[in-house]
Amino acid sequence: MLIDKNSPLPIYHQIEEYIKDRIEKGELKPGNVLPSEREYSQLFQVSRMTIRQAINKLVNDGYLYRKKGSGTFVAEKKFEQALQGLTSFTEDMKARGLTPSSKLLHFEIIPASPQVAATLQVAENTPVYEMKRIRLADEIPMALETCYISANLVKGLTEEIVSHSIYRYIEEKLQLEIGEATQIIESSLANETETELLKIKKGSPILLIERCTFLTNGTPFEIVRSSYRADRYKFISHLKR
Ligand code: 16G
């Protein structure tokens, strides 16, 4: 039996679990079209309203997505990003067996604004690198990063270097030790720039992450504001009491 009508679990929830299970087992693959509400309502012998309720929940949770006029499809699996461990985008993607790359949109040395100067603990107008990069995994845009880095600390950055791993340059070439970071995560909806650069629909969910990273000696060296595709990412943390 696919669902148990006598179970205390609501029927829509059982149907939701059934569809999730088929996705997890790979019987329904990313990009596959989902059977219609009518087919499911015949299969489970329940109303189309109940099926719609289950499907709506799965759309909201990012397992499925709708395309106007063509139906409901199985979404790509979300990346699970651990919230412990201070890693770089390059390391994160490589650990998943994906090829990281960056598209550099902007790179300039500017005088630090009062806000950037305060966070980086430098005097106002001290030179800082300002850059914007699209971060891609296997050529798919994952995040948009705007970054401010102390130019007097992280010396010699070039367009070529920041098109690859900045952390690697800092550690291997400059022999500076990256120590810790504080991060704030907020939810948001894609604005026009994010829509265009991340190739997502206007109003898609976005996870905004602001990171301030410190060397082991306690000196802050970067402020990064990233917009991550919330349809492709989920963040996981391990809590211990
Ligand atoms: C990650 C960091 C970012 C850092 C970058 C370095 C988050 C939210 N952000 O994207 O702060 O600048 O890695 O990556 O994790 P890279 O060494 O590949 O240039």
Side-chain angles (χ1 to χ4, degrees), residues 87-90 92 133 135 145 147 164-168 183 209 211 213 222 224 226 228:
T87 51
S88 72
F89 183 84
T90 303
D92 289 341
R133 302 187 288 173
R135 312 303 308 263
E145 287 181 352
C147 186
H164 298 97
S165 173
I166 297 180
Y167 280 13
R168 191 160 153 197
Q183 246 178 216
I209 306 180
R211 181 189 282 193
T213 321
E222 71 162 1
V224 186
S226 318
Y228 275 79

Side-chain angles (χ1 to χ4, degrees), residues 19 22-24 26-30 32-35 40 74:
I19 298 175
R22 294 205 55 202
I23 295 174
E24 264 144 35
E27 292 162 13
L28 278 171
K29 296 194 169 55
N32 281 174
V33 66
L34 199 74
Y40 273 143
V74 179

